[in-house]
Amino acid sequence: MKPSLALLIVGTLYLGVGWMLSAIGPSLPALARQAGHEVTDLGAIFTAFSLGGVLASVGVGAAIQRWGLRTVIAAGSACMGAGMLALGLSPLLAGMLIGAGVAGFGYGGMLAGGNLLIARLYRGAAGALNALNLFFSVGSIGGPLLVALMLAVIGQPQAAIWMGAVLMLGLVWPASRLQEPTQAPSAQMSGPPRWLAAVTLGILMFTYIGTEIGIGGWIALILERGVGMIAPLAALGSSLFWGMLTAGRMAAVFWGDRLGPIRLLLLCVSGLGLGGLLLVIGMSQASLALAAVAFMGLSCGPIFPTTILLITQAAGRSPAALSVALTIGTGGGLFLPALFGQFIGWFGPVSGAIMVVVDAACMLLLLLVARYGMKRDPAVAEMSVG
């Protein structure tokens, strides 16, 4: 199988993931009415989803080693589709949480399996991984738009989640036909583990995932309650975030390998912090708030795939190091998105923007530590600094 075909299949899976996850935020009010709860109570959905991802990450390294990448990816697709369908259809919050947990478990498998497959197929891994996650971003743009369409046509925005789940289930068979990489992993992915860098990058990923889900899940509510936008326009503001995130990944496809992963992350994490600060300042002005949303999205784009690349390099040939880093990383969604919701409820929408600034500062510090850990191996250090 050609690498480009594998990239298309895994990329379409990621498109479905982005579609469904980005549709949850704008659908929260309708899901809350469906379950008979306050909208802020549904932050537990993000926690359940992330808990499933954490549980999957614990054993994903061993699972890949035993059953292969395509089996892990296909099983993840099946769990993700079934879980999201249950989330979107359940009339009970408990059912939604169970569905979110199953979906998160599937996502954990696809997260590791898909990124590792593409990283091993392509030598220019930074560009290829950004290209893969570009599919996620495209789906993330479409999710809120489809929510707005479903709200206007049938009055049920959560129908966007149902449709994405059906797409995911339909992709199980193509995923099962993926072929394992035939070429040997690069030197950076087959050497000894660098535990300091792997663990630190896992914590960085923890912070980033929680922040991205927090922004994507609550930005519509921040724009509606903090800036005073009407609900449909606030939903389009969510699409703006994902659209600019897509643009950031598109740029990283071409510039990622030129800058090197460490330099790219330094640039993007700093930009995220500045975007959050701009949102704090522009909370009372719609145009400035939307500019902040766009800048945060642009900065977020390359962070996740580039961090994944560095984790695979830091883990080397150790399944244990890979699992530890991914388990830590996927745990970010357990607490931070729900904390975003609680802070917004307690202190107002501006607190969500302040959390972005704080998270970006933490990520910058973690990246400096990870850079030190990567430099302990000369070969990796040379690649890391571009």
Side-chain angles (χ1 to χ4, degrees):
M1 179 180 290
K2 293 182 178 180
S4 58
L5 180 57
L7 179 61
L8 178 62
I9 293 173
V10 180
T12 306
L13 283 170
Y14 278 39
L15 184 145
V17 173
W19 170 353
M20 289 185 290
L21 293 184
S22 67
I24 292 176
S27 300
L28 284 176
L31 290 171
R33 290 191 298 270
Q34 180 175 302
H37 281 260
E38 292 293 329
V39 65
T40 52
D41 294 337
L42 268 67
I45 287 176
F46 301 118
T47 301
F49 182 86
S50 296
L51 178 60
V54 169
L55 293 176
S57 298
V58 170
V60 72
I64 289 171
Q65 194 172 48
R66 181 171 181 178
W67 292 300
L69 289 165
R70 68 178 177 185
T71 301
V72 170
I73 295 170
S77 177
C79 290
M80 181 88 187
M84 293 301 287
L85 193 60
L87 186 157
L89 290 172
S90 176
L92 301 174
L93 180 57
M96 292 180 180
L97 297 179
I98 293 171
V102 173
F105 188 83
Y107 174 68
M110 287 192 296
L111 170 69
N115 280 281
L116 193 55
L117 177 73
I118 299 306
R120 289 182 175 176
L121 286 174
Y122 286 86
R123 291 299 182 184
L129 288 180
N130 275 283
L132 171 62
N133 286 275
L134 184 62
F135 283 88
F136 176 93
S137 305
V138 171
S140 299
I141 298 172
L145 294 175
L146 191 56
V147 166
L149 178 63
M150 292 297 100
L151 182 61
V153 174
I154 63 175
Q156 291 186 299
Q158 62 270 48
I161 299 174
W162 309 340
M163 296 167 66
V166 171
L167 171 66
M168 189 64 58
L169 291 172
L171 290 169
V172 173
W173 185 83
S176 70
R177 308 309 299 169
L178 288 165
Q179 294 183 7
E180 302 291 325
T182 54
Q183 66 183 24
S186 64
Q188 289 79 17
M189 297 177 191
S190 59
R194 299 153 192 90
W195 280 100
L196 175 62
V199 171
T200 305
L201 288 165
I203 300 172
L204 191 155
M205 184 176 163
F206 173 100
T207 309
Y208 174 73
I209 288 179
T211 304
E212 181 191 291
I213 296 175
I215 297 172
W218 297 107
I219 193 62
L221 193 66
I222 290 173
L223 293 175
E224 186 177 347
R225 294 187 179 180
V227 184
M229 294 183 181
I230 60 174
L233 185 58
L236 291 178
S238 178
S239 286
L240 174 64
F241 171 76
W242 294 112
M244 294 305 294
L245 188 147
T246 302
R249 285 184 180 163
M250 190 177 298
V253 170
F254 300 100
W255 290 101
D257 292 313
R258 292 177 175 86
L259 290 173
I262 291 290
R263 288 178 181 171
L264 183 60
L265 277 181
L266 284 170
L267 179 65
C268 292
V269 170
S270 300
L272 176 60
L274 291 175
L277 184 60
L278 186 62
L279 183 58
V280 173
I281 297 170
M283 191 60 65
S284 60
Q285 187 176 347
S287 58
L288 194 57
L290 289 175
V293 170
F295 196 66
M296 287 191 298
L298 185 67
S299 300
C300 278
I303 295 177
F304 177 79
T306 307
T307 303
I308 285 286
L309 172 60
L310 288 174
I311 286 175
T312 59
Q313 292 175 358
R317 59 174 177 266
S318 170
L322 178 64
S323 289
V324 167
L326 292 178
T327 299
I328 295 171
T330 52
L334 284 171
F335 311 107
L336 292 182
L339 195 59
F340 266 87
Q342 292 300 325
F343 273 27
I344 291 169
W346 293 337
F347 307 113
V350 70
S351 62
I354 293 173
M355 279 194 66
V356 174
V357 179
V358 173
D359 289 351
C362 292
M363 283 188 278
L364 188 59
L365 179 61
L366 289 165
L367 181 56
L368 295 176
V369 176
R371 184 183 186 184
Y372 168 77
M374 296 293 278
K375 279 187 172 182
R376 296 177 69 178
D377 182 284
V380 178
E382 183 179 351
M383 179 178 181
S384 296
V385 297

